[in-house]
Structure formats: structure tokens, C-alpha cells
Amino acid sequence: MNKSSEWIALEKKYYVPVVRRQPVVIVRGKGSWVWDADGKEYLDLIGGWAVNSLGHCHPVITQAITEQATTLVQTSNQFYTVPQILLAQLLVEHSCLDRVFFGNSAAEANEGALKLARKYGKQKRGGAYEVITAHHSFHGRTLTTLAATGQPHYQEPFTPLPPGFAHVSYNDVDAIMNATSDKTVAVMLEPIQGEGGVNVPADDYLQRVRAWCDKQGLLLILDEVQTGMGRLGSLFGYQEYGVEPDVMTLAKGLGCGVPIGAFLSKEFCTVLGPGDHGSTFGGNPLVTAAAYAGSKYLIDNNIPAYVKQMEKHLFARLHELKARFSFITEVRGKGLLAAIEFDSDIAGKVLTHANASGVLLNAVKPSALRFMPPLTITAEEIDEGIGRLEKVLKEI
Ligand code: PLP
């Protein structure tokens, strides 16, 4: 087999250079650990960008994929398939939403939610179409979800973007009120902004937004792509904040590693009918069998409660680091979604050293590191990861 350096040279030759990759070629994973093409072991505190909820190659996921791969992989949505129906039932029965549609990614889930909002606006709100989203939000990279995303640096190369979005400050209810007009149909928010820097709003923010949406007849769409499926210590992030969305999107942890996205909606706003939306692969038997097995395991074993225990442990260790290193200015997050902020742009340098020390981290901003390990990570593994990071912080 090629060495890491040889694989990296091939990638540089053949792949579209859109991702700033770390120079690590991962070939194998087990639980919270992965190995590179040279046999080096790493503790994975990134979890496939908050995707590998049950760690790498969890037996439940491996078995579900294997069994389904030898049974039925793809049929098109022209037919009913059992794993899709089982997953839909599981998600609806454990959430406040009534219906679900499966796509292949988060961006597609959000795209579907936005289409639903557009049609709802046409049918029920006199043609209103505008959706209020937040600065520093991240909703995907298709043209419409990019337009929804409140980060101009991602948008600029691709303007003009589809119209219909108003961006306001996150954690600012007045800004939403001021941006609301006759054209507004929905407010779309992440319960905690993940990609934008792990930004945690005030405890009552979502409740106040919910109250405003109720008063104005707006849909509240929660993008739970990163916060859903146990990440914050409840099955869904909205449960942490005591609100119910009208529409919710999921992806990432839903598939425990297989590519799947979903939008869920309450019955009153499920205005989509035959022909309005669809997908060739969306919700196919292979991915829904894996997502069903993973989600059922997560629920049956109350992994969200375990996340709450590990949250205490992770945050205690991160606060210890902050006490030890004066250049760490903030520790923030919830559940197993956390960030530490530095007083300067050293996150890239920390990553380089962390790779060498065998711990995988994510620089969510030039000045901040994000932690989103498997939800099954143990206290000992957290200690090991923080220990390795501490060594790196001492070095630099
Ligand atoms: N929404 C949120 C909250 C995300 O964090 C992300 C990715 O980080 C996305 C949407 C887009 O995900 P995908 O790359 O699967 O389309």
C-alpha cells in the first residue's frame, strides 16, 4: 500500500482543491480511534465533523450495512421500502414533528425545508417567501443554502445567489423582529451555531424567537444538523431549550457515518404534495437501515444521558486547560460540542502539532478549536485527548 505522502501527492494531482486538508491519510477506524496509511494511531476528537456518533465502525452500524448490502441497496422512491418507513416512524415518534423526508446530505435537507417554507408562504401567507437567518450561521453549500448561510466569505465567489434571505445578528430577538415584514415566511436558526464557531445563545433566545414566530404566524425552522441526534445531551437540541420547531433538519449524526439528511415538519405546514420534491437516492434502504440501527441504538441506550455525563467531564478538563494557559480566553459549548478560543490565530499551528501528537482536532476559526468527538467517547479517552492537547499547548 502507498505511504501517506504518496496518497497525498495523488490527491493533489486529481482532486478539486477545495478542502484545506490536514496531512493525514486515514485508512481505518475503531471507536474513537483512527489509523493513518503509515500505521500511526490518532484519537479522533472530530468524529467525521460530528457525524460518527457511535464512533468508527460500531458493530451495530457495520452489521446493519452488511445485512442490508446483501439484501437490498437501492430501489428508487417509486416503491415503498421497509428501512425508510421504520426510520421515519422512529424519528416522528421521538420528536415533536409529524412527517419526514430523507435526502442525502444536510444541504439537501435544508433545501427541502426552504422549499416547504416557500410553498407554505405561497399557500398560507399571501406569497411571503423571505427567510430570516443569522450571521455566522451555516446551512450548506448549494446555491440556496449558501444564500441562507450568514457568512459572506463563502458567498462572494458565487453571487448572485438566489434571493429571499435576510440575515440578522444571532442571539438577538429584536433584530429578528425588526427584519420581519410582509414578505417574511420563516426564521431559520441553529440551536447552537456549529461551523460559525460554536456560538451558544442565551437560554431564553429560542423561546423568545418561538413566541415571535407564533405571534407573526412565521415558521420556525431549526437546523439541527449538528445539534441533533444526541449531540447536546438531548435527542434534539430544541429539547434543551424548551421549544418546538415547526420544521427541523437533521443529517450528520443521523447516519452515524452514512450520507443521509432529513427534514421533518409539523402536519399543519406539511404543504408539499406529489411531485413537489423527490430524490433518486434519498432514504434508500442501505442508508436508512444504517441510520435506523444507529438511531435506535442511541435511543435504546440513552446515549443523550451519557453525553450529559461526558459533557461535565469534557468541560471540566477544558476549564482546567484554560486555567493553565492564559492564551485560552474562553471555553464554550454544550454536550459534546465544544470550543476553546485563543487570544490569537494559533489554531492552525495547534492542529499541526496535535496531528504529530496523535490527536485530531478541528480549527473552527483561525483563533478557535472545536471538539465534536463520538458521543460514545469514554472519560479516559477525553483525558487522553486533553493530555495530548496540553502537551501541544506547552510546546507552542
Ligand atoms: N447545517 C449545519 C448546521 C451544518 O453544520 C452543516 C455542515 O457543517 C450543514 C448544514 C451542511 O452540511 P452538508 O455538508 O452535509 O451539506
Side-chain angles (χ1 to χ4, degrees):
M1 192 198 272
N2 291 14
K3 282 201 159 101
S4 292
S5 57
E6 291 168 291
W7 286 118
I8 289 170
L10 286 175
E11 191 270 1
K12 292 212 178 304
K13 185 168 175 204
Y14 293 117
Y15 210 75
V16 179
V18 290
V19 190
R20 279 187 210 93
R21 299 190 203 254
Q22 295 296 306
V24 179
V25 180
I26 299 176
V27 294
R28 188 164 64 86
K30 188 86 202 137
S32 307
W33 299 85
V34 293
W35 288 264
D36 74 12
D38 303 322
K40 184 173 161 63
E41 182 184 71
Y42 302 82
L43 181 61
D44 181 8
L45 300 184
I46 302 179
W49 284 338
V51 166
N52 301 311
S53 310
L54 303 182
H56 295 273
C57 299
H58 191 284
V60 159
I61 304 298
T62 304
Q63 191 187 338
I65 293 175
T66 311
E67 274 175 17
Q68 195 59 45
T70 55
T71 308
L72 184 70
V73 171
Q74 161 75 5
T75 58
S76 88
N77 278 306
Q78 197 172 325
F79 306 99
Y80 299 93
T81 53
V82 175
Q84 184 184 96
I85 298 165
L86 287 174
L87 181 61
Q89 182 183 25
L90 187 76
L91 292 176
V92 166
E93 286 182 353
H94 287 86
S95 74
C96 65
L97 290 314
D98 300 312
R99 288 188 183 267
V100 61
F101 179 88
F102 297 117
N104 308 288
S105 68
E108 262 185 70
N110 285 334
E111 191 84 31
L114 290 166
K115 280 178 72 179
L116 181 148
R118 281 276 177 114
K119 189 164 178 203
Y120 182 82
K122 251 190 213 315
Q123 282 194 349
K124 314 260 176 163
R125 288 188 52 83
Y129 62 90
E130 200 167 80
V131 177
I132 298 173
T133 68
H135 296 310
H136 305 295
S137 60
F138 193 82
H139 298 297
R141 292 175 185 272
T142 61
L143 284 177
T144 303
T145 56
L146 197 57
T149 291
Q151 301 197 49
H153 67 280
Y154 287 136
Q155 299 173 330
E156 269 152 23
F158 307 106
T159 55
L161 293 171
F165 295 94
H167 297 101
V168 300
S169 295
Y170 188 61
N171 197 25
D172 183 344
V173 185
D174 290 343
I176 291 176
M177 291 175 173
N178 291 334
T180 303
S181 74
D182 291 350
K183 291 183 293 181
T184 312
V185 67
V187 177
M188 179 170 181
L189 296 167
E190 294 156 83
I192 288 180
Q193 290 186 329
E195 208 270 348
V198 187
N199 305 319
V200 184
D203 286 346
D204 65 349
Y205 173 60
L206 288 181
Q207 282 178 14
R208 292 181 60 214
V209 176
R210 175 74 270 178
W212 177 250
C213 289
D214 287 344
K215 193 164 168 212
Q216 297 293 313
L218 307 177
L219 297 180
L220 177 60
I221 305 173
L222 289 184
D223 177 341
E224 292 245 22
V225 161
Q226 197 156 146
T227 55
M229 302 315 290
R231 176 68 44 190
L232 301 188
S234 290
L235 188 57
F236 304 109
Y238 70 77
Q239 293 162 327
E240 288 288 307
Y241 291 102
V243 293
E244 290 193 357
D246 304 309
V247 181
M248 171 172 76
T249 58
L250 298 172
K252 290 192 182 280
L254 173 61
C256 295
V258 300
I260 185 168
F263 66 85
L264 295 93
S265 53
K266 293 217 169 177
E267 194 68 48
F268 83 91
C269 61
T270 307
V271 289
L272 299 176
D276 278 339
H277 200 53
S279 171
T280 298
F281 295 120
N284 89 7
L286 188 70
V287 294
T288 47
Y292 175 72
S295 303
K296 193 163 174 347
Y297 182 92
L298 197 95
I299 292 165
D300 290 350
N301 292 279
N302 204 355
I303 300 293
Y306 178 75
V307 168
K308 278 218 192 303
Q309 286 173 33
M310 288 306 110
E311 169 188 31
K312 282 203 196 87
H313 194 75
L314 175 65
F315 279 84
R317 299 305 315 269
L318 292 176
H319 280 288
E320 278 167 31
L321 276 190
K322 180 172 177 288
R324 241 168 260 154
F325 297 97
S326 60
F327 56 87
I328 299 178
T329 56
E330 195 188 2
V331 174
R332 57 178 182 265
K334 199 176 183 54
L336 287 175
L337 178 60
I340 56 175
E341 186 78 35
F342 299 118
D343 63 3
S344 61
D345 292 350
I346 58 166
K349 196 170 162 192
V350 174
L351 284 201
T352 308
H353 284 70
N355 292 338
S357 297
V359 58
L360 300 181
L361 292 159
N362 171 255
V364 69
K365 295 198 308 193
S367 62
L369 289 181
R370 178 170 45 164
F371 303 78
M372 40 192 165
L375 305 183
T376 48
I377 193 166
T378 64
E380 293 72 31
E381 287 169 338
I382 290 175
D383 291 345
E384 181 66 34
I386 300 295
R388 290 183 190 198
L389 176 60
E390 183 173 355
K391 195 168 140 259
V392 167
L393 296 177
K394 274 188 195 142
E395 274 166 25
I396 64 161

